[in-house]
Amino acid sequence: MAEIKEKLSLPIFVKPARTGSSIGITKVKENDEIENALNLAFHYDTKVIVENSVENITDLTCALLSDGDEIIASEVQESLFGSDLFDYSVKYLEDGGAQTGNAEANLVIPAKISEEHTRRIKDYSKLIFKETDASGTMRVDFLLNKKTGELFVNEINTMPGTLYHHIWEKSGIPINKVLEKMLVSGFAKWKELQEIQSDFETDVLNNANQLKLQYKNLS
């Protein structure tokens, strides 16, 4: 904990490295809260991320879709919430959940941000999709500091649970077209894997066994 206090300044976020849906995340505002936050995060994962908080934030999301020929970026979504973070309760429980039953009240599509930030988010999202060698679909989350204009990539989700059909509908692509592109991409990836040689003939193990026998006879 001493290293955390030396390298980072409060407030900070402590979260499991490989969970989703804001599970196990704590926004730490005081030093004496760090230990409990770490214990909670380690309850859900063996690896934990501790990072500086982005203040004055707008929480933004861009979905990606590809059938192998092109990468399509959706409209940018803005998530509205009144607490320190867009937590599990707001996402899935309160009033039916912002991600499901109460989406209209908590999600703004397209996001109320500048054209420049919208362009950058779509460009960065496509670049991330390409550089991570993704296929089918992906979701990239961003945090925007409204005061400074700084933009941060917060999370990459290669298997978004809802497929973000509501974003695609607002982007002019119905869910049947989303599924169609995913199937085309999946079939192309499957064909690509079939062309890879995954086995080959070798005598290396037989040679190794013969050497063992020779060594045994000599001894």
Side-chain angles (χ1 to χ4, degrees):
M1 287 194 295
E3 187 176 2
I4 293 174
K5 295 175 184 177
E6 289 175 5
K7 292 187 176 182
L8 301 176
S9 56
L10 297 175
I12 59 174
F13 274 98
V14 179
K15 55 189 178 182
R18 295 164 294 193
T19 60
S21 301
S22 301
I23 295 171
I25 296 179
T26 305
K27 184 174 184 179
V28 176
K29 300 177 181 179
E30 303 291 338
N31 285 326
D32 58 6
E33 299 172 353
I34 296 176
E35 184 174 357
N36 286 339
L38 288 170
N39 288 336
L40 176 63
F42 276 119
H43 181 74
Y44 293 101
D45 202 343
T46 57
K47 292 183 178 181
V48 167
I49 295 173
V50 181
E51 59 189 3
N52 280 326
S53 170
V54 178
E55 298 297 285
N56 312 302
I57 69 163
T58 300
D59 186 293
L60 303 163
T61 294
C62 184
L64 288 307
L65 189 62
S66 175
D67 57 10
D69 294 327
E70 63 175 334
I71 301 170
I72 303 170
S74 72
E75 293 289 349
V76 178
Q77 169 187 290
E78 178 180 350
S79 300
L80 305 178
F81 52 94
S83 57
D84 286 331
L85 69 151
F86 196 29
D87 62 16
Y88 184 88
S89 179
V90 176
K91 286 180 178 180
Y92 302 108
L93 301 178
E94 296 176 14
D95 298 322
Q99 301 282 35
T100 51
N102 198 29
E104 291 296 324
N106 295 89
L107 306 177
V108 179
I109 308 169
K112 294 181 179 179
I113 57 176
S114 69
E115 290 183 7
E116 174 62 17
H117 278 123
T118 298
R119 182 192 63 77
R120 287 172 60 192
I121 286 171
K122 291 184 178 182
D123 287 348
Y124 290 155
S125 297
K126 287 182 179 181
L127 179 63
I128 289 167
F129 191 97
K130 182 179 179 181
E131 292 300 317
T132 55
D133 195 27
S135 63
T137 187
M138 174 187 278
R139 188 197 81 219
V140 185
D141 296 337
F142 294 82
L143 298 177
L144 172 65
N145 187 319
K146 291 179 284 189
K147 286 188 176 181
T148 66
E150 293 176 285
L151 188 64
F152 302 86
V153 176
N154 184 46
E155 180 184 354
I156 301 170
N157 192 320
T158 56
M159 184 50 72
T162 65
L163 297 182
Y164 275 69
H165 57 278
H166 56 283
I167 296 183
W168 289 117
E169 287 175 0
K170 295 282 188 177
S171 304
I173 303 178
I175 187 61
N176 62 310
K177 290 296 182 182
V178 173
L179 295 174
E180 181 182 310
K181 286 184 177 295
M182 289 181 64
L183 287 169
V184 169
S185 175
F187 183 68
K189 181 63 70 173
W190 177 82
K191 284 186 65 178
E192 178 183 308
L193 292 174
Q194 301 312 299
E195 296 174 1
I196 296 174
Q197 186 70 31
S198 59
D199 62 344
F200 61 96
E201 295 182 4
T202 177
D203 290 327
V204 64
L205 294 179
N206 289 333
N207 293 338
N209 288 332
Q210 290 176 6
L211 288 172
K212 285 181 181 179
L213 288 173
Q214 291 175 9
Y215 177 78
K216 185 177 181 180
N217 292 333
L218 288 173
S219 62

